[in-house]
Each structure stands twice: as C-alpha cells, then as structure tokens.
Amino acid sequence: MSTTLSTAGRSGLVYLVGAGMLWGTGGLLGTLLGRATGLSPVAVATCRLAVGGLLLVALLAATRRPLPRNPLAWRRIGAVAALAAIFQASYFGAVAASSVSVATLITIGMSPVVVALLEQVTGRRALDRRRAGTIGLALAGLALLVGVPSGDVGTTGLLVGAALAALSASAFATLTVIGSRPVTGLDPMTTTALGFTGGALLLAPLALTTGITFQPNAVSIALLLTLGLIPTAIAYTLYFHGLSDTAAGTAAVLALLEPLTGAVLAAFVLGERLTPLGMMGGGLLSLALILASTQPRTGDRA
C-alpha cells in the first residue's frame, strides 16, 4: 500500500490532533470545577459525561436528526456507554487509590500498547519495528513528563491504583478499536451524544454515593458547561470522526496529546513548573506524535 497519506487520512489526523488538544483542557477544567463545587472526582466525571452527552442530544433534536434504526448501531451505542463509564470510573478510582501520576502513566501509556496487541491478535494491523519504536518513545516521554509516583503511595494503594488504571486503559483501547469500524446509520455526533448520556446514567448511582451537593453559581455553571462542551462533546465527536479515517493504533498514540497539552496549560494557568526532565519528556512525546502521524499504512491488513 502507498505510504502517502490520502486526503481522508489527513483529515482524520486533523480531527485526532484536535481531540487530543481539547482533551488536555479536561484536567484543568475538572480541577477547577472540583475546587469551586467540592464535587468528588467520580461526580465530576459523571457530570462531564452527562453535560457533554445532553448538549449533543439537544443539538440532534434541534437539527431534527432521526434516531438510529439499525440494531447494530444501538449495540455500538450501548458498548460506548459501558466503556465510557468504565473508563471514567476506573481512572478516577485509580487517582483516589494511588496518585495522578500512577493513573496517568498506566491509563494513557498502556492504551496504545493494548490497541497494538488487539490489532495484532485480530489481524487488523501488524506491529512492525517502527510502530513499536514509536510507542516506546511515547511511553518514555510520558514517563518523564508526568514523573514517577511519589513515595507517599503505599503498596496496597499502588497495586489497587495500577489495577484500576489498567482497567481504564483497556476500556479506552477497546473503545478506540471498535470505534475505528464505522456502523451504517450511525455518525460520530450521535455516537457521542447517546453513548455518553448512557454512560452518565450508568455512573450516576456511584456518583450519588459520594454526595453531589454544591451551590450552583455563575462560576460553577460556566465551568461545568465548558467541561461538558470542549473536552467532552466536541473532543470525543472529533475523535470518533477521526477514527473512521485513521488506524486505531495511530489514534491511540495521538491521544497522548492530552497530557502534553495538560502540562502546558497547568504551567501557564495553575503556575506549575515543568522540570528539565519534564521538558525533555515533552520533547520525546512530541517526536513520537510526529512519527505516529506520518506512520505509513503498509502494515495495515484490513
């Protein structure tokens, strides 16, 4: 197959890069929302899915877009809802049990590895040396950027956090692999709207146990709407759109734009300083992203 990117492939990369950069605002917005409202991390995740999904549902209703009639489309929506709920709940559970660095390293770092293994096992795409090297470079950059876990995390918390983060990574990887195969009669916006609304309903009982009590005000409502719109509704719609034109493995690596963007925003907005190792990690991660975006499709068997 030709190593030249087609117009559709370039468009898919643009969508995926946009999604990764918008995801990078999610950590900052979620942190600010938690500080402003006192919501638990799981409650923030539930509200994120609910607001993002319902905003898109309202848009679908306003444009009078019909609901899917294909049973396969509804099975895909159900799968997206379950995987989104597992991904969000497991990730924030990993943060609570261990630390942000453990959750981020394993969840985001493990995802492209799981996608590569799934594609290799199912015969969709072979894992060649360049692709393996790109993933390794990305993981090294992510480790330097995020940093190693602190010594404050106990052995039990580390093990529980690692297990939950691995579950989160597996859910996101599975979401990426199944999302790379389009379903007739189901577009990316409808997938995100109905899938994330369903995911919020699945997470709601867990969120209620943490206590969703806060006084709404202009700041908290603005943060909630922004969190639901930018890194959720828009970002995931772009991601599902890009998956239809780009290999799942490439999409999983480009998702590492999230921690890179988040680190830059944290430095400028929250005043967090990047260490020399962190800046080196950002450089390695950027190189890996460039290599992933120019990855030839010669190993694609599908």
Side-chain angles (χ1 to χ4, degrees):
M1 297 179 67
S2 172
T3 59
T4 303
L5 285 175
S6 64
T7 301
R10 288 194 297 270
S11 298
L13 289 174
V14 171
Y15 288 129
L16 293 173
V17 169
M21 295 182 69
L22 293 181
W23 280 336
T25 67
L28 174 63
L29 291 170
T31 299
L32 294 176
L33 180 62
R35 290 178 181 178
T37 62
L39 287 172
S40 68
V42 173
V44 170
T46 304
C47 292
R48 174 182 181 176
L49 290 178
V51 173
L54 291 175
L55 285 175
L56 290 178
V57 167
L59 180 59
L60 293 177
T63 56
R64 298 182 179 180
R65 186 170 300 185
L67 292 175
R69 296 183 178 181
N70 184 356
L72 184 59
W74 283 104
R75 286 198 291 271
R76 171 64 63 82
I77 291 170
V80 169
L83 290 169
I86 293 171
F87 167 62
Q88 292 288 339
S90 300
Y91 175 76
F92 286 108
V95 171
S98 53
S99 67
V100 174
S101 61
V102 171
T104 303
L105 278 173
I106 298 179
T107 299
I108 300 181
M110 185 177 168
S111 295
V113 178
V114 175
V115 169
L117 292 175
L118 287 175
E119 288 188 319
Q120 177 74 24
V121 170
T122 59
R124 288 190 179 188
R125 192 183 183 196
L127 181 61
D128 55 24
R129 291 182 179 179
R130 171 171 172 167
R131 190 175 172 209
T134 300
I135 293 175
L137 186 64
L139 295 182
L142 179 64
L144 291 174
L145 179 66
V146 175
V148 296
S150 65
D152 297 334
V153 181
T155 302
T156 302
L158 186 61
L159 292 175
V160 173
L164 289 172
L167 178 61
S168 180
S170 300
F172 181 77
T174 305
L175 183 66
T176 297
V177 172
I178 67 171
S180 64
R181 292 296 178 91
V183 174
T184 303
L186 184 63
D187 60 90
M189 185 182 297
T190 304
T191 301
T192 308
L194 301 181
F196 280 24
T197 301
L201 292 175
L202 292 175
L203 273 184
L206 180 61
L208 288 173
T209 62
T210 65
I212 303 182
T213 56
F214 70 96
Q215 296 297 325
N217 53 55
V219 174
S220 62
I221 292 175
L223 286 171
L224 183 59
L225 290 176
T226 305
L227 178 63
L229 178 63
I230 295 178
T232 310
I234 298 177
Y236 277 95
T237 298
L238 290 176
Y239 189 68
F240 287 128
H241 207 305
L243 278 176
S244 62
D245 298 320
T246 311
T250 301
V253 174
L254 291 178
L256 272 76
L257 267 169
E258 176 182 357
L260 184 59
T261 305
V264 173
L265 287 175
F268 281 99
V269 180
L270 298 179
E272 297 181 6
R273 297 183 61 184
L274 276 175
T275 64
L277 285 179
M279 289 187 283
M280 183 185 299
L284 292 177
L285 193 51
S286 298
L287 178 58
L289 294 172
I290 293 172
L291 290 174
S293 64
T294 57
Q295 180 76 35
R297 297 295 297 274
T298 53
D300 195 344
R301 301 174 186 168

